[in-house]
């Protein structure tokens, strides 16, 4: 029987309408599948660097996308900076290597190369790149990208298209800043052991001695002059802890300017053994040399085989001080307290 127009108006549908409805329903299912929020894949994951033996690594390099880089090699006595040979922090490097070994492929984010730039894990657009070298000379590169949330970083192994979400390693933990991987304090001297300080620069040649009561005196103090002991204490504090900008290595180079230094500080320390009462003295020579392109100064201590740079701010206490910086004329002192500079 042929269905009439009246039959359709009463609720019936012709075959074409049924087909259109079916297509519409299929489109809705596809849209829902594509747009439905879902968690990254979490099945079938394993170590990102399967079989990695961190004890067999001999090289490590960390770089950022702006040209910064720091490289290390493992020597007989542990990890050192490749460029200068300066000792690196064994604990810091071990922690990073262990975190790399724990990275997994449980949470897949993307599979294609087209996503690398967006996630900042591309070979020419990344937040951090970590390169590992084995004793056999094999290398592996790992890219750390953007962080969609705290404690989560996009990661990708070089040569692979897949990008994963990692939680064991963040970019701030692996910076190419040298001082993040070493002890930045180059020189430590027990301030209570300081017995004598001789400061020589273009402006002065001063020798300060400390008596058994801990009071500083100046050799050659003239009548009518008073020593500003607070300023000598400031110099002693500067000597007791010298922070570096970066190490330069153990080879003395001509441009360092240390054959004719801008400042020389000779320190005598004196320590008494509590049990035996034996007194031990040590002489330490500090040299301040040429200025580098960044405005920092070369620095060396006779207690270390390494040369370093220090900031201009630190160097000023050795380079610019004059005799008058440590003195107060009595007739101008007024009622100021002993050892404290007048305002």
């Amino acid at each position: 029987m042929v269905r009439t127009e009246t039959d359709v108006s009463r609720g019936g549908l012709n075959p074409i309408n049924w087909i259109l409805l079916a297509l519409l329903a299929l489109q809705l299912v596809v849209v829902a599948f594509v747009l439905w929020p879902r968690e990254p894949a979490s099945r079938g994951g394993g170590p990102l660097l399967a079989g990695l033996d961190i004890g067999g690594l001999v090289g490590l390099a960390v770089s950022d996308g702006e040209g910064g880089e720091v490289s290390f090699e493992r020597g007989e006595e542990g990890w050192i900076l490749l460029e200068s040979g300066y000792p690196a922090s064994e604990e810091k490097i071990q922690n990073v290597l262990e975190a790399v070994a724990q990275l997994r492929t449980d949470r897949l984010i993307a599979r294609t190369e087209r996503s690398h730039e967006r996630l900042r894990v591309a070979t020419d657009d990344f937040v951090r790149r970590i390169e590992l070298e084995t004793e056999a000379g094999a290398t592996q590169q790992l890219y750390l990208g953007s962080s969609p949330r705290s404690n989560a970083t996009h990661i990708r192994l070089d040569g692979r298209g897949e990008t994963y979400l990692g939680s064991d390693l963040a970019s701030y933990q692996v910076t190419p800043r040298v001082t993040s991987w070493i002890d930045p304090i180059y020189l430590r001297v027990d301030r209570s052991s300081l017995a004598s300080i001789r400061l020589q620069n273009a402006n002065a040649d001063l020798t300060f001695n400390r008596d058994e009561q801990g009071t500083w005196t100046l050799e050659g103090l003239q009548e009518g002059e008073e020593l500003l002991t607070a300023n000598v204490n400031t110099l002693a504090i500067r000597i007791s802890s010298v922070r570096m900008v970066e190490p330069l290595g153990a080879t003395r180079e001509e441009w360092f300017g240390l054959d004719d230094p801008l400042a020389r500080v000779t320190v005598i320390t004196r320590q008494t053994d509590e049990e035996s009462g034996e007194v031990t003295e040590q002489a330490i020579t500090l040299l301040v040399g040429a200025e580098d392109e960044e405005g920092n100064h070369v620095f060396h201590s006779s207690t270390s085989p390494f040369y370093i740079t220090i900031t201009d701010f630190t160097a000023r206490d050795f380079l610019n001080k004059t005799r008058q910086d440590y003195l107060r004329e009595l007739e101008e002192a007024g009622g100021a307290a002993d050892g404290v500079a007048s305002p």
Side-chain angles (χ1 to χ4, degrees):
M1 184 175 72
V2 179
R3 188 178 294 267
T4 66
E5 187 175 334
T6 303
D7 294 327
V8 174
S9 65
R10 292 175 179 174
L13 294 174
N14 61 38
I16 294 178
N17 289 335
W18 280 111
I19 293 173
L20 292 175
L21 285 174
L23 290 174
L24 177 61
L26 180 60
Q27 287 178 333
L28 292 175
V29 171
V30 171
V31 171
F33 176 79
V34 172
L35 298 181
W36 190 266
R38 52 189 182 275
E39 291 296 319
S42 58
R43 294 183 180 180
L48 181 64
L49 289 89
L52 176 65
D53 176 18
I54 60 178
L57 295 175
V58 297
L60 169 67
V62 174
S63 54
D64 60 23
E66 300 176 355
E69 183 175 358
V70 59
S71 301
F72 309 90
E73 66 177 359
R74 175 178 270 161
E76 295 181 357
E77 299 182 0
W79 287 96
I80 60 174
L81 288 166
L82 183 60
E83 187 174 350
S84 65
Y86 199 83
S89 169
E90 295 287 323
E91 180 182 5
K92 175 64 183 288
I93 291 183
Q94 184 68 18
N95 289 341
V96 168
L97 294 179
E98 289 178 356
V100 168
Q102 292 170 4
L103 293 173
R104 297 181 61 80
T105 61
D106 298 286
R107 293 182 286 181
L108 177 65
I109 298 299
R111 295 180 182 274
T112 64
E113 186 176 343
R114 290 178 299 177
S115 63
H116 294 173
E117 200 168 305
R118 174 172 56 86
L119 301 176
R120 300 289 308 281
V121 291
T123 56
D124 58 353
D125 185 7
F126 54 86
V127 179
R128 295 287 188 272
R129 180 176 61 202
I130 300 173
E131 182 174 327
L132 308 172
E133 181 181 357
T134 68
E135 290 177 318
T139 61
Q140 285 185 305
Q141 289 186 343
L142 172 69
Y143 294 98
L144 303 185
S146 56
S147 298
R149 58 179 181 271
S150 61
N151 198 33
T153 305
H154 293 126
I155 56 175
R156 183 180 71 86
L157 196 59
D158 187 46
R160 298 186 183 178
E162 298 87 354
T163 301
Y164 303 94
L165 196 63
S167 58
D168 297 309
L169 188 63
S171 58
Y172 69 84
Q173 296 174 270
V174 283
T175 73
R177 189 173 62 250
V178 169
T179 51
S180 297
W181 301 87
I182 63 176
D183 182 356
I185 304 301
Y186 169 72
L187 175 67
R188 287 184 174 88
V189 178
D190 182 2
R191 190 150 50 100
S192 65
S193 73
L194 291 175
S196 174
I197 301 173
R198 182 182 181 185
L199 173 62
Q200 297 170 280
N201 59 31
N203 305 312
D205 185 349
L206 307 171
T207 299
F208 305 98
N209 296 308
R210 195 161 174 254
D211 61 23
E212 294 181 355
Q213 287 71 43
T215 302
W216 287 104
T217 60
L218 172 64
E219 290 186 6
L221 193 67
Q222 303 295 317
E223 184 177 352
E225 295 177 332
E226 181 180 0
L227 181 64
L228 295 173
T229 56
N231 291 2
V232 183
N233 284 327
T234 299
L235 177 63
I237 292 172
R238 183 71 69 207
I239 292 169
S240 68
S241 180
V242 177
R243 176 180 291 268
M244 76 172 76
V245 176
E246 63 177 348
L248 297 174
T251 302
R252 184 163 171 161
E253 298 186 21
E254 185 177 353
W255 78 266
F256 291 174
L258 296 180
D259 292 336
D260 185 18
L262 299 179
R264 180 189 300 268
V265 182
T266 306
V267 177
I268 304 296
T269 64
R270 185 178 296 120
Q271 293 182 314
T272 303
D273 186 275
E274 294 183 358
E275 295 184 359
S276 65
E278 182 180 356
V279 177
T280 303
E281 287 193 356
Q282 181 185 19
I284 303 173
T285 301
L286 311 178
L287 302 177
V288 182
E291 188 176 357
D292 66 12
E293 295 178 352
E294 285 74 37
N296 303 311
H297 282 270
V298 176
F299 186 86
H300 182 252
S301 168
S302 59
T303 60
S304 172
F306 292 97
Y307 301 87
I308 66 165
T309 56
I310 59 175
T311 65
D312 178 66
F313 176 79
T314 301
R316 289 177 199 168
D317 282 337
F318 306 125
L319 297 175
N320 300 335
K321 294 300 183 182
T322 68
R323 192 172 189 274
Q324 288 305 120
D325 289 320
Y326 296 98
L327 297 176
R328 179 177 63 222
E329 294 184 6
L330 292 179
E331 58 267 24
E332 297 180 359
D338 290 342
V340 180
S342 302

